[in-house]
Amino acid sequence: MAVTIKDVGKLANVSPSTVSRVLANHPKISDETKRKVREAMEELGYHPNLQARSLVVKSTKTIGIVMPNSTERVLENPFFPEVLRGICLEARKSQFGIYLTTGATEEEILQEVIEMVHGKRVDGIILLYSKTNDQIMDYLLHNNFPFTVIGRPYQNAERITFVDNDNVFITKQITEYLIQLGHKKIAFIGANMEMVFTIDRLKGFKQALKENGIAYQKELIVYDKEIAGRTKEKLAEILNMESRPTALVVSDDFIAIELISYAEELSISIPEDLSIVAFNNISTGKYMKPSLTSVDINIFQLGVEATKCLLDDITYPNSVMKRITVPAKMVERNSCCKVAE
Amino acid sequence: MAVTIKDVGKLANVSPSTVSRVLANHPKISDETKRKVREAMEELGYHPNLQARSLVVKSTKTIGIVMPNSTERVLENPFFPEVLRGICLEARKSQFGIYLTTGATEEEILQEVIEMVHGKRVDGIILLYSKTNDQIMDYLLHNNFPFTVIGRPYQNAERITFVDNDNVFITKQITEYLIQLGHKKIAFIGANMEMVFTIDRLKGFKQALKENGIAYQKELIVYDKEIAGRTKEKLAEILNMESRPTALVVSDDFIAIELISYAEELSISIPEDLSIVAFNNISTGKYMKPSLTSVDINIFQLGVEATKCLLDDITYPNSVMKRITVPAKMVERNSCCKVAE
DNA sequence: CTGAAAGCGCTTACAG
DNA sequence: CTGAAAGCGCTTACAG
């Protein structure tokens, strides 16, 4: 049905091999022949069947993206579109396509990854997240399949190329920012504690406390998983504590926004009674009231770098493992102020 | 290198054909043989090469997604992740994968689409938008390639399966909502006027005016393209008009949020001086001050239905063209009020 | 500079 | 119930 290399050859009076060679713009084909063949292609509306090609050259020119969990609310987070934008930009430069996982559970995703890898659907994979005990990362590692991760691998980091922010450092920095504003009772509201970035951020948070002689209080550490669905109660609990926090380090702008809304219901003013600094710097953050002080983690760049690394790794397999640190910086707005005396 | 059907056959003492047949769970293969072959597969860690299979069965089990423009700000809009969530959910049910375009210009995207179609990368395509004079849609139509579109095709709608909101109706409805609040001078801030949904919404807007005996004023119609980068001036211009509007119908929450921010700089209070109803119902809308009255267009469902239709079309080619209307409804919050006397 | 042949890893009539 | 053969559409040594 579709027009093939044979048809083109027939029309141009050359062998299929020759057609294939002009397709690859092989230097040893005469200009005359090239012209003839190209004309025939034009006339027949020929386009190469990429599957057939892939089968023999063993390269697909596509990269696979493993998303955390496609049906979850994760996708609401601007992280995903932003990172994808970076990935697309870089992939396009090298004429690579993008293939997405659709799975809802880790098990499903793993199956898809296996299919991608063995089914020869992609040449390499970008993991959009890093969590502890990740079967998918283990699988990729054991199969020596090219991949890069956005985030710090919890294990085997020395054998994996990854792109990340310096989460320890930036969190330490923002915590110190709060400390300098006079806050001594600061709570940490983390995302899922299986996420490595949560672990790193907590570390930076603790460092800041320690270096500033502030005792670490376990009660002031909360994870998203615990709050899910009951942000309100959890917040009330924290705010009714004997030693109640005057500031919050929150892992995500969306959570921060929800928190602010609940706080207001409890007649707690932001930032007067409670300072908040969050992460991700969503685009509506500056229009909130108060506007959100938030860490811009440069998601787009994360995507760009991860793709560059992967593409490198695909072209020069088993070369050096890289680690790229993308700068993050706090965007100061109006959700923090000096602690009330 | 990779283990193939041959290797499995050798180990199980059967022909490659037989292995292939147990792969397809062919009914005429004895249980005994199936067992043997499956054991061999397990032992060798066999996984079928999907490319090879695709080449012969002429089906890829993947659907292509054409995004408006991957590097643009469009991706910031929650539309994209939300619609993708719906698509993924449905695709996964049928074991279909997702392939994304990465192009930045219509020309680039068209090339990618041609590659997808002729290169046999996908079995069908979902167009995430509908604009006037869309080369891509024309191409797909002329090649009789299975595709569905989210949005109303501007031309050839009778030959295309599509999923859309009733944009005329819903916009008429929200405009009447404003009219009932006493507004007579209502401006329409549309997105790109090449987008069909903009055209439809404007139509609904005009209908509402007409049926309520309000004269249509050309000066009160503004398109995003004109405002891009100079929202402020454009708004100032509108607000300084002799007959200045007291209400706005805005095509996108993000634009609305920006507008509100500028309005406030001009000491125009929302909603007292200016009522606003927007579209898309972004998740932070309810936390804005004032909270945003916005039309929930049910993006997720749009993705689900488009995928269902496409999958249908792939399995039963050239059957009936469908058109699905996904309900949209206004979520009333606090950005509108009665017009001041 | 070009062609004939083998092969990528699979599926599927055709026989038996 | 199973195998040998042809073929999907391409690429790439090997010859000449």
Side-chain angles (χ1 to χ4, degrees), chain A residues 47 50-51 54 60 70-71 75 81 85 92 98 100 102 108 118-119 121 254 257-258 264 283 287 289, chain B residues 47 50-51 54 60 70-71 75 81 85 92 98 100 102 108 119 121 254 257-258 264 283 287 289:
Chain A
H47 284 275
L50 301 174
Q51 300 213 110
S54 291
T60 59
S70 72
T71 6
L75 283 193
R85 210 164 61 85
R92 185 171 61 240
I98 307 269
L100 246 43
T102 62
E108 274 182 4
H118 283 100
R121 289 231 135 124
F254 279 104
I257 290 171
E258 258 185 87
E264 283 169 354
S283 59
Y287 298 115
K289 286 165 196 162
Chain B
H47 284 274
L50 302 175
Q51 299 212 110
S54 291
T60 59
S70 71
T71 8
L75 284 192
R85 210 164 63 85
R92 184 171 61 241
I98 307 269
L100 245 43
T102 63
E108 274 182 3
R121 288 231 134 123
F254 280 102
I257 289 172
E258 260 184 84
E264 283 169 355
S283 59
Y287 298 115
K289 286 165 194 160

Side-chain angles (χ1 to χ4, degrees), chain B residues 21 40 50 187 233 273 280:
Chain B
R21 279 189 269 251
L50 302 175
E233 299 105 281
D273 302 331
N280 288 357

